[in-house]
């Protein structure tokens, strides 16, 4: 029996569900892991995560398909990215097969929380791990906890598919040789002042520029960026300091293989947006799916996209329909993209 939730009116907020997965790392190994009802974490006051922010996370979703199956989308890539993130912060990677099994267990244990097909909501899955033993000198922890909780969510941006206005941030998200390419909590902590500032000024998100020259478009606080040029083809900003979004990597395949579009990944200058070289712009990610951008504001100058402020542009709409069609089982997925629970 599905839970008594008003699925269609969910925002992107935490709802406590019934079960979560926990595994602990001690004496050089991960324990077997359990599903538990206990949503509380008890750690030392001096835990590595509390002192030096040693924590990484992931985000993926479970979907109810048109024919009633529960599936996840490319969780193997989340497992791999979390291994990369952990390695960069000197944390013991949680093995890929264990990650996939844990996702399966926690979704199965919360089956009733998976929003029904067509409700507009999905089950967001949040794996994360953190240093748990006392650390006072600056060094990696020796003990860690890996957890996954799930929470049903609606659209990340209020208004769903309505185009948003974003600003060019005065803050940097990542250092040139820093941690922008991994999913570390620290990247989000340092974006909080920037996002509060943007929201106070009436913007939905920040576009961050490359920190070295501040001339190139990187990504937003929680999503990669995708542009459609004047010929209707896809342009993706290339940078070593953006998160390798699984949604964006999937959209590149969808654009080429399903829609026959040309996809170019290259450095994108802010001046190209200023010159009106792009007709459509969208933010893509697990939470954002594809959220259309109607306008970029750069210190008072407005760069409006031809697609306007009323609806998603035609090419992004096709990408959106195809990607979500694959995720919801309406379209055949490329081999290995869909994991049934
Ligand atoms: N970029 C940032 C900074 C993010 O936090 C996210 C969210 O995961 C993404 C991009 C999108 O990545 P993905 O498509 O793997 O969810
Ligand atoms: C995601 O899309 O999964 C994210 O992590 C973005 C944001 C909610 C942090």
């Amino acid at each position: 029996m599905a839970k008594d939730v008003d699925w269609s009116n969910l925002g992107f907020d935490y709802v406590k569900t019934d079960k979560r997965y926990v595994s602990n790392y001690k004496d050089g190994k991960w324990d077997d892991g359990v599903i538990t009802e206990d949503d509380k974490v008890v750690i030392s006051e001096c835990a590595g995560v509390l002192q030096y922010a040693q924590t990484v996370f992931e985000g993926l979703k479970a979907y109810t398909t048109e024919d009633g199956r529960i599936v996840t989308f490319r969780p193997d890539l989340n497992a791999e990215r979390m291994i990369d993130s952990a390695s960069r912060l000197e944390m013991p990677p949680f093995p890929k097969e264990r990650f996939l099994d844990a996702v399966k267990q926690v979704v199965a244990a919360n089956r009733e929380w998976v929003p029904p097909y067509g409700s507009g909501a999905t089950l967001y899955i949040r794996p994360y791990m953190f240093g748990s033993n006392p650390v006072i000198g600056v060094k990696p922890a020796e003990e860690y906890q890996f957890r996954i909780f799930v929470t049903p969510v609606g659209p990340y941006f209020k208004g769903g598919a309505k185009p948003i206005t974003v600003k060019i941030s005065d803050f940097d998200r990542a250092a040139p040789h820093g941690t922008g390419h991994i999913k570390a909590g620290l990247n989000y902590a340092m974006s909080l002042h920037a996002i509060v500032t943007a929201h106070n000024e009436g913007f939905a998100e920040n576009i961050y520029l490359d920190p070295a020259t501040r001339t190139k478009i990187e990504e937003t606080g929680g999503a990669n960026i995708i542009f459609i040029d004047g010929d209707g083809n896809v342009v993706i900003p290339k940078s070593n300091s953006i998160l390798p979004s699984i949604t964006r990597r999937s959209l590149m395949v969808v654009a080429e293989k399903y829609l026959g579009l040309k996809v170019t990944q290259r450095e994108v200058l802010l001046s190209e947006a200023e010159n009106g070289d792009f007709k459509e712009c969208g933010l893509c990610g697990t939470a954002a799916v594809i959220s259309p951008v109607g306008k970029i504001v750069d210190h008072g100058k407005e760069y409006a996209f031809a697609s306007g402020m009323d609806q998603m542009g035609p090419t992004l709409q096709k990408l959106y329909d195809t990607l979500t069609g694959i995720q919801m089982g309406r379209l055949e997925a490329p081999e290995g993209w869909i994991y049934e629970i």
Side-chain angles (χ1 to χ4, degrees), residues 5-15 17 60-63 113-116 118-126 150-162 222 285-291 320 324 327-328:
V5 175
D6 185 5
W7 305 111
S8 307
N9 286 313
L10 287 173
F12 198 86
D13 299 301
Y14 174 75
V15 175
T17 55
L60 66 159
K61 283 174 170 173
Y63 309 84
W113 289 97
V114 186
S119 65
T122 50
L123 189 75
Y124 187 69
I125 306 169
R126 174 52 65 87
V150 298
T151 184
V153 295
Y156 188 66
F157 293 104
K158 280 195 198 72
K162 270 268 178 223
T286 299
V289 193
I290 301 180
S291 300
Y320 178 93
T324 53
Q327 291 167 336
M328 311 281 176

Side-chain angles (χ1 to χ4, degrees), residues 170-181:
D170 290 322
F171 302 99
D172 291 329
R173 174 183 174 273
H177 303 282
T179 54
H181 61 300

Side-chain angles (χ1 to χ4, degrees), residues 25 28 30 54 86-87 89-95 129 141-144:
Y25 182 90
W30 290 103
Q54 202 185 14
S87 307
L89 294 197
E90 292 293 336
M91 305 167 84
F94 195 69
M129 56 186 276
E142 279 152 16
E143 295 173 14
Y144 294 86

Side-chain angles (χ1 to χ4, degrees), residues 24 38-45 47 50 130 132 145 147:
N24 288 295
D38 191 357
D39 62 321
K40 297 288 183 291
V41 176
V42 179
I43 49 175
S44 163
E45 63 184 352
L50 299 179
F130 49 87
S132 54
Q145 188 163 105
R147 300 179 72 98

Side-chain angles (χ1 to χ4, degrees), residues 81 173 183 188 219-224 243 245-247 284-286:
R81 190 170 63 189
R173 174 183 174 273
K183 212 159 163 60
Y188 299 83
E219 65 172 328
T220 66
N224 278 184
L243 191 77
S245 158
I246 294 162
T247 312
C284 64
T286 299

Side-chain angles (χ1 to χ4, degrees), residues 91-255:
M91 305 167 84
F94 195 69
K96 182 170 166 179
E97 291 310 317
R98 290 281 314 273
F99 181 102
L100 294 172
D101 176 58
V103 166
K104 207 172 206 175
Q105 283 192 45
V106 76
V107 175
N110 292 285
R111 193 169 273 283
E112 294 164 4
W113 289 97
V114 186
Y117 176 78
S119 65
T122 50
L123 189 75
Y124 187 69
I125 306 169
R126 174 52 65 87
Y128 60 112
M129 56 186 276
F130 49 87
S132 54
N133 70 299
V135 171
I136 192 74
V138 177
K139 63 177 183 195
E142 279 152 16
E143 295 173 14
Y144 294 86
Q145 188 163 105
F146 171 92
R147 300 179 72 98
I148 308 180
F149 67 78
V150 298
T151 184
V153 295
Y156 188 66
F157 293 104
K158 280 195 198 72
K162 270 268 178 223
I164 54 174
T165 302
V166 301
K167 72 169 279 187
I168 300 296
S169 182
D170 290 322
F171 302 99
D172 291 329
R173 174 183 174 273
H177 303 282
T179 54
H181 61 300
I182 61 160
K183 212 159 163 60
L186 61 92
N187 292 338
Y188 299 83
M190 53 77 64
S191 78
L192 295 176
H193 178 58
I195 193 68
V196 169
T197 303
H199 285 166
N200 286 342
E201 294 171 355
F203 301 105
E205 248 289 12
N206 283 298
I207 286 186
Y208 293 100
L209 301 177
D210 74 294
T213 72
R214 299 191 60 82
T215 58
K216 294 170 229 162
I217 290 180
E218 296 242 299
E219 65 172 328
T220 66
N224 278 184
I225 305 178
I226 171 166
F227 293 100
I228 307 299
D229 69 15
D231 298 323
N233 289 314
V234 177
V235 179
I236 305 280
K238 183 174 183 167
S239 159
N240 291 331
S241 49
I242 67 179
L243 191 77
S245 158
I246 294 162
T247 312
R248 186 259 300 160
R249 285 183 271 163
S250 303
L251 285 170
M252 291 170 74
V253 176
V254 165

